[in-house]
């Protein structure tokens, strides 16, 4: 039996589809957000590593004689000062730990996004919401809650807005599958039925 043959969908099924759509959008937004945060943090970490390595006393760059005179000496002092600041800031920023967390968040939300798309497709193909569909949604929702507890406490508002805008374009509500609403009788049909009943 297809979704259109079974008659109107129960309100609880429509409510579940609404939750699936909203959680799909949220998961996609968070996956985009953490991908952007991760890319920026990896650049920052790379800069810190290069600055530290270049100015290390044992590096070949530090041994170059051009750093001992004129403009080279000023540039070298600037690099050395930058490296000293990086050495102090790096343990406080802990980029390695944050990269690990952001990677886990991005991958977790991305996995939830695809699991929700698969669930919506299964419901559409089945023409109804089954108990298995409800259990699958509960599992995905529980994973979302777990990921949410590890989210940044002070997210980057600009990146969040960019991610929200990307989701609005990528996942408009009109593009999500909804069951056909039940056919409603025209007013003339209802009047005719009332006239016949009298």
């Amino acid at each position: 039996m297809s979704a259109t043959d079974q008659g109107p969908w129960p309100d609880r099924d429509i409510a579940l589809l609404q939750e699936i759509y909203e959680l799909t959008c949220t998961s996609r937004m968070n996956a985009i957000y953490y991908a952007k945060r991760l890319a920026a943090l990896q650049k920052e970490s790379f800069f810190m590593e290069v600055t530290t390595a270049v100015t290390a006393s044992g590096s070949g760059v530090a041994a170059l004689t051009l750093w001992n005179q004129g403009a080279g000496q000023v540039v070298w002092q600037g690099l050395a000062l930058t490296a000293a600041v990086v050495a102090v800031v790096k343990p406080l920023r802990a980029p390695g730990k944050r990269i690990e967390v952001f990677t886990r968040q991005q991958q977790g939300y991305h996995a939830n996004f695809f699991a929700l798309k698969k669930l919506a497709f299964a419901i559409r193909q089945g023409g109804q919401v089954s108990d298995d569909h409800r259990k699958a949604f509960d599992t995905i929702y529980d994973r979302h809650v777990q990921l949410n507890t590890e989210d940044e406490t002070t997210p980057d508002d600009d990146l969040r807005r960019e991610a929200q805008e990307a989701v609005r374009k990528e996942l408009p509500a009109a593009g999500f599958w909804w069951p056909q609403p039940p056919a409603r009788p025209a007013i003339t049909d209802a009047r005719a039925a009332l006239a016949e009943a009298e």
Side-chain angles (χ1 to χ4, degrees):
M1 176 183 292
S2 74
T4 54
D5 295 337
Q6 75 174 21
W9 282 54
D11 182 60
R12 65 192 182 111
D13 291 353
I14 298 295
L16 180 68
L17 287 169
Q18 180 68 36
E19 287 298 316
I20 290 171
Y21 172 69
E22 289 176 10
L23 197 57
T24 300
C25 291
T26 301
S27 295
R28 183 66 180 137
M29 182 195 72
N30 287 337
I32 292 169
Y33 173 84
Y34 277 107
K36 289 177 181 288
R37 290 290 285 137
L38 187 57
L41 187 58
Q42 285 171 330
K43 285 179 187 173
E44 177 186 317
S45 179
F46 178 76
F47 169 77
M48 288 181 174
E49 293 298 329
V50 168
T51 302
T52 305
V54 165
T55 56
S57 60
S59 77
V61 177
L64 294 175
T65 56
L66 69 97
W67 301 124
N68 295 329
Q69 54 197 345
Q73 190 173 15
V74 173
V75 170
W76 183 252
Q77 288 173 347
L79 280 172
L81 178 62
T82 303
V85 170
V86 166
V88 171
V89 170
K90 188 176 176 184
L92 300 174
R93 298 271 304 160
K97 175 94 170 120
R98 292 170 65 217
I99 285 172
E100 182 183 321
V101 170
F102 289 177
T103 300
R104 188 171 54 246
Q105 293 299 97
Q106 194 274 336
Q107 289 175 348
Y109 282 120
H110 202 61
N112 265 11
F113 168 70
F114 283 110
L116 287 158
K117 283 189 71 158
K118 182 178 178 181
L119 177 59
F121 182 75
I123 291 171
R124 182 176 185 178
Q125 292 299 303
Q128 62 183 357
V129 176
S130 69
D131 288 341
D132 287 342
H133 295 141
R134 291 183 192 288
K135 286 176 189 170
F137 178 79
D138 288 344
T139 301
I140 296 166
Y141 188 83
D142 289 345
R143 276 198 316 252
H144 176 81
V145 169
Q146 180 61 40
L147 287 164
N148 195 261
T149 62
E150 296 180 28
D151 277 342
E152 285 187 293
T153 53
T154 54
D156 182 309
D157 290 333
D158 291 335
L159 282 183
R160 178 176 270 183
R161 277 191 291 275
E162 284 179 33
Q164 287 172 339
E165 187 57 34
V167 169
R168 275 191 206 98
K169 291 177 181 173
E170 185 180 325
L171 301 171
F176 188 75
W177 173 79
W178 301 99
Q180 292 294 322
R184 297 184 182 203
I187 292 176
T188 54
D189 293 342
R191 288 182 185 159
L194 286 173
E196 286 178 17
E198 293 173 356

